[in-house]
Amino acid sequence: EKERISKEIDETTKRIDEKIEEKLDEILPEAFAIMKDTARRFAQNETVVVTANDFDRDLAAAKEASWTLYNASLTLEDAEETWKDARRDYYGSYYRYQYDMAEHTWNAAQTTYESAVQDFETSFRTLYDSLADYEQVWENKQAALDYQQTVLDTTRTQYERGMVSHSALITAEDDLAAAQSEAESAWRDLFNARNNYRLAVDYGILA
């Protein structure tokens, strides 16, 4: 009997270890990316200032302002009150039917509310994370614009000295114009993302 129990414990422990290993493998790329980014920040800065709980604080404000979640909570409260009344008045087959229906409605309202909260949190997280993406894209486009400006300045000097053709100068000017257009587009995307984020935080509206 002891050997059987010991064997079951070993098998259970092995399964747990395997599950843990699977989960660690799953989050490994994200963990590596975080460690790499953290190392970069410390390498580039003597000190790193972290704003604590920005996401949690903004998410709480957005959920508080959300009409969708407020309406779902009212439906849940009404269903719970109806269920409590039916449970208190429960008597006979007719009231049994009312009680069962009230309980079913309350359970459905709980599921609906939990789903609404989960969907809201997921959408808000996506919106929150997208800000960094749009910021990075804009910074990249701005860097590309600065580079193309340098290329044009160099090409113009070379053209004035007869070192490159007029065609090369026109190409450099076109490349700068394209980079300028892309930088402006990236800025508009970032601006819209920031506005959408403020709408979510201040009014609970997820665009």
Side-chain angles (χ1 to χ4, degrees):
E1 180 66 21
K2 290 183 178 180
E3 292 180 359
R4 183 183 63 81
I5 294 176
S6 177
K7 183 178 179 180
E8 290 180 355
I9 293 175
D10 291 340
E11 291 177 350
T12 300
T13 302
K14 183 179 179 181
R15 287 197 297 271
I16 293 174
D17 290 341
E18 290 174 350
K19 290 293 184 181
I20 293 175
E21 186 173 351
E22 289 177 4
K23 180 57 67 174
L24 290 174
D25 289 340
E26 180 182 331
I27 67 173
L28 181 59
E30 181 178 356
F32 177 77
I34 292 173
M35 292 298 294
K36 182 178 180 180
D37 184 65
T38 301
R40 177 187 61 79
R41 294 183 181 218
F42 277 109
Q44 295 177 353
N45 304 277
E46 294 182 0
T47 59
V48 177
V49 179
V50 179
T51 302
N53 298 323
D54 278 349
F55 173 77
D56 293 334
R57 182 170 54 251
D58 288 349
L59 174 60
K63 289 167 70 175
E64 183 70 21
S66 171
W67 167 254
T68 300
L69 296 186
Y70 174 72
N71 190 49
S73 68
L74 288 182
T75 301
L76 178 61
E77 291 173 3
D78 290 343
E80 183 179 12
E81 287 300 319
T82 301
W83 174 73
K84 289 180 178 178
D85 291 341
R87 183 176 60 176
R88 184 183 64 247
D89 298 335
Y90 168 71
Y91 180 76
S93 60
Y94 174 72
Y95 291 104
R96 171 70 188 191
Y97 172 77
Q98 284 188 320
Y99 173 79
D100 289 343
M101 289 300 297
E103 185 174 38
H104 173 75
T105 301
W106 183 43
N107 289 333
Q110 291 181 77
T111 300
T112 300
Y113 178 75
E114 291 170 0
S115 177
V117 171
Q118 183 175 6
D119 290 345
F120 188 91
E121 291 178 346
T122 300
S123 298
F124 188 85
R125 166 59 77 176
T126 300
L127 183 60
Y128 178 85
D129 291 341
S130 72
L131 286 177
D133 295 335
Y134 283 116
E135 186 79 36
Q136 186 62 57
V137 170
W138 179 72
E139 290 178 358
N140 291 342
K141 295 300 182 182
Q142 191 63 39
L145 175 60
D146 293 340
Y147 170 75
Q148 290 300 334
Q149 182 64 60
T150 300
V151 171
L152 176 59
D153 293 342
T154 301
T155 303
R156 183 176 288 117
T157 299
Q158 292 175 334
Y159 174 73
E160 292 172 351
R161 295 177 180 177
M163 299 171 63
V164 297
S165 66
H166 185 260
S167 175
L169 178 61
I170 296 300
T171 298
E173 290 175 343
D174 290 344
D175 289 344
L176 177 63
Q180 177 69 44
S181 177
E182 291 181 3
E184 290 174 353
S185 177
W187 170 250
R188 286 192 296 270
D189 290 341
L190 176 59
F191 181 80
N192 290 332
R194 287 173 174 171
N195 280 344
N196 290 337
Y197 186 74
R198 291 318 313 173
L199 282 174
V201 173
D202 297 337
Y203 302 103
I205 299 174
L206 292 174

